[in-house]
């Protein structure tokens, strides 16, 4: 298996895991008080935007040629790092 394919599978698995975590936060938000729901919603909206950006970057990487994928990989890493940090922060905030 090519390095690119391995990287794509790992990145997709991470995005899938984070998607499950975001869904858990949303479930908590649905059970929260009105004020807490607003805070949850703001955080979840930020997470969803970052998640979409990371997904877009991963799609771009998937369609990249074997020669160009290394350059696009940096954008994927930046987007996933941003999403991971935001998710960690939101999870800590709402424990």
């Amino acid at each position: 298996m090519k390095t690119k394919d391995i990287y794509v599978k790992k990145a997709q698995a991470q995005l899938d895991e984070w998607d499950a975590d975001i869904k858990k936060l949303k479930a908590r938000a649905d059970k929260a008080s009105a004020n807490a729901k607003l805070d949850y919603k703001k955080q979840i909206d930020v997470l969803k935007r970052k998640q979409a950006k990371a997904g877009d970057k991963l799609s771009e990487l998937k369609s990249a040629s074997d020669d160009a994928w290394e350059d696009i990989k940096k954008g994927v890493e930046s987007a996933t790092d941003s999403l991971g940090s935001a998710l960690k922060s939101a999870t800590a905030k709402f424990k």
Side-chain angles (χ1 to χ4, degrees):
M1 186 177 278
K2 293 185 226 173
T3 305
K4 173 187 167 187
D5 295 335
I6 294 168
Y7 182 83
V8 167
K9 284 186 182 219
K10 281 180 65 176
Q12 185 63 59
Q14 183 64 71
L15 288 177
D16 291 344
E17 182 180 323
W18 286 337
D19 185 55
D21 292 342
I22 292 169
K23 287 177 180 173
K24 288 177 191 173
L25 282 176
K26 186 164 179 357
R28 276 196 229 157
D30 292 341
K31 296 176 185 176
S33 67
N35 286 340
K37 279 184 183 183
L38 291 174
D39 287 340
Y40 269 110
K41 184 179 178 342
K42 288 177 188 175
Q43 289 295 314
I44 290 169
D45 287 347
V46 168
L47 291 170
K48 287 290 190 180
R49 284 193 303 273
K50 290 180 182 286
Q51 182 182 34
K53 182 176 180 177
D56 290 346
K57 290 289 185 185
L58 186 58
S59 292
E60 186 180 336
L61 182 96
K62 287 177 184 179
S63 64
S65 69
D66 288 342
D67 295 331
W69 84 273
E70 283 284 344
D71 293 330
I72 298 169
K73 178 181 167 187
K74 292 175 186 161
V76 172
E77 289 172 348
S78 175
T80 56
D81 288 348
S82 178
L83 174 58
S85 295
L87 183 57
K88 185 176 180 180
S89 176
T91 302
K93 181 178 180 178
F94 295 116
K95 278 201 171 188

